[in-house]
Amino acid sequence: MVVIKADNLSKSVSLGTQTLSILSGLNLEVNAQQTLAIIGRSGSGKSTLLSLLAGLDSATSGTIQLNGHELSSLDENGRAAVRNQHVGFIFQSFQLLPHLTALDNVMLPLELAGDAEADLKARAWLERVGLGDRLDHQPNQLSGGEQQRVAIARAFVTEPEILFADEPTGNLDPQTGQTIIDLLFNLNAEHGTTLVLVTHDHDLAKLCQRHVLLDAGQLVDGEAGDHTSHAGEVNSPS
């Protein structure tokens, strides 16, 4: 079943008297429980595309269907409701609220949804990502890897059907990044989530079942990766 579908998607921005085209006539389909990596050079529009697919931004033209919801027909409140119901996010910069503890950061999306078991679920997920002893620590008291673990717990705690990750290891050293990758893919496989990630790391892209190259505002399909062994011998598209 297709859970993400973009048709003739375009995005442009005005720069003074000029218009910059970021995406142009782009088409994409992502199936349920698929893992997809979007790769491309810096400035190619990868993060812009992810924001559009997740309903965080609006396209200039074209349509996006997210789990059966036509995003272009919804206002911001409508898109937010779809995100809250179906989507989890992991960002390169973690996006944790600095004044909240790890526990409070993970509880937040559940509290916004009125979940009476927010505390219990958040504690359980922090235990699962290895931070059961760091519940009361604020982000500035945690390492980068620990902050990303909190972000992963926050993303999964709502049991989303679709998970978006924007350069999830971009701010981490290689060893910590590998730990985060293993955690992310193991949890994703266990919960059968559809994963769409943006990365400039071709080795990370190879771990996905599919990867696409964003070039000149268009997507070019790559080959299938090996997300089970984490060691697929796959040539990245060029």
Side-chain angles (χ1 to χ4, degrees), residues 149-161:
R149 286 172 180 265
V150 175
I152 288 174
R154 181 184 59 188
F156 276 100
V157 76
T158 58
E159 300 182 0
E161 293 139 287

Side-chain angles (χ1 to χ4, degrees), residues 144-205:
E146 288 171 333
Q147 290 184 60
Q148 195 59 297
R149 286 172 180 265
V150 175
I152 288 174
R154 181 184 59 188
F156 276 100
V157 76
T158 58
E159 300 182 0
E161 293 139 287
I162 304 168
L163 184 66
F164 293 97
D166 190 355
E167 299 282 9
T169 61
N171 281 338
L172 305 175
D173 64 81
Q175 182 176 352
T176 303
Q178 186 60 53
T179 300
I180 292 299
I181 289 169
D182 291 341
L183 176 63
L184 175 59
F185 275 87
N186 288 339
L187 290 175
N188 194 71
E190 181 181 335
H191 290 269
T193 306
T194 303
L195 172 63
V196 180
L197 65 85
V198 156
T199 183
H200 65 276
D201 183 345
H202 285 212
D203 289 332
L204 174 54

Side-chain angles (χ1 to χ4, degrees), residues 54-188:
L56 290 170
D57 194 8
S58 297
T60 304
S61 63
T63 62
I64 299 171
Q65 292 186 27
L66 183 66
N67 229 30
H69 299 273
E70 174 55 67
L71 296 183
S72 60
S73 67
L74 302 175
D75 59 16
E76 172 52 34
N77 288 337
R79 293 196 303 272
V82 172
R83 292 196 303 269
N84 292 340
Q85 185 177 359
H86 301 290
V87 171
F89 298 92
I90 300 170
F91 298 95
Q92 177 179 355
S93 57
F94 317 133
Q95 296 288 338
L96 301 178
L97 294 179
H99 61 285
L100 296 182
T101 65
L103 178 62
D104 288 335
N105 267 286
V106 178
M107 286 177 59
L108 186 58
L110 294 174
E111 290 179 325
L112 292 175
D115 193 322
E117 297 183 334
D119 182 87
L120 182 65
K121 292 179 179 178
R123 289 176 184 272
W125 268 101
L126 284 166
E127 287 280 356
R128 293 200 62 187
V129 300
L131 293 177
D133 60 345
R134 309 285 269 173
L135 302 180
D136 296 325
H137 288 68
Q138 293 180 328
N140 64 1
Q141 298 172 309
L142 301 171
S143 68
E146 288 171 333
Q147 290 184 60
Q148 195 59 297
R149 286 172 180 265
V150 175
I152 288 174
R154 181 184 59 188
F156 276 100
V157 76
T158 58
E159 300 182 0
E161 293 139 287
I162 304 168
L163 184 66
F164 293 97
D166 190 355
E167 299 282 9
T169 61
N171 281 338
L172 305 175
D173 64 81
Q175 182 176 352
T176 303
Q178 186 60 53
T179 300
I180 292 299
I181 289 169
D182 291 341
L183 176 63
L184 175 59
F185 275 87
N186 288 339
L187 290 175
N188 194 71

Side-chain angles (χ1 to χ4, degrees), residues 4 17 53 55 100 131 139 144-145 161 204 215 226 234:
I4 302 172
T17 59
L53 296 177
L100 296 182
L131 293 177
E161 293 139 287
L204 174 54
D215 183 41
D226 182 356
V234 181

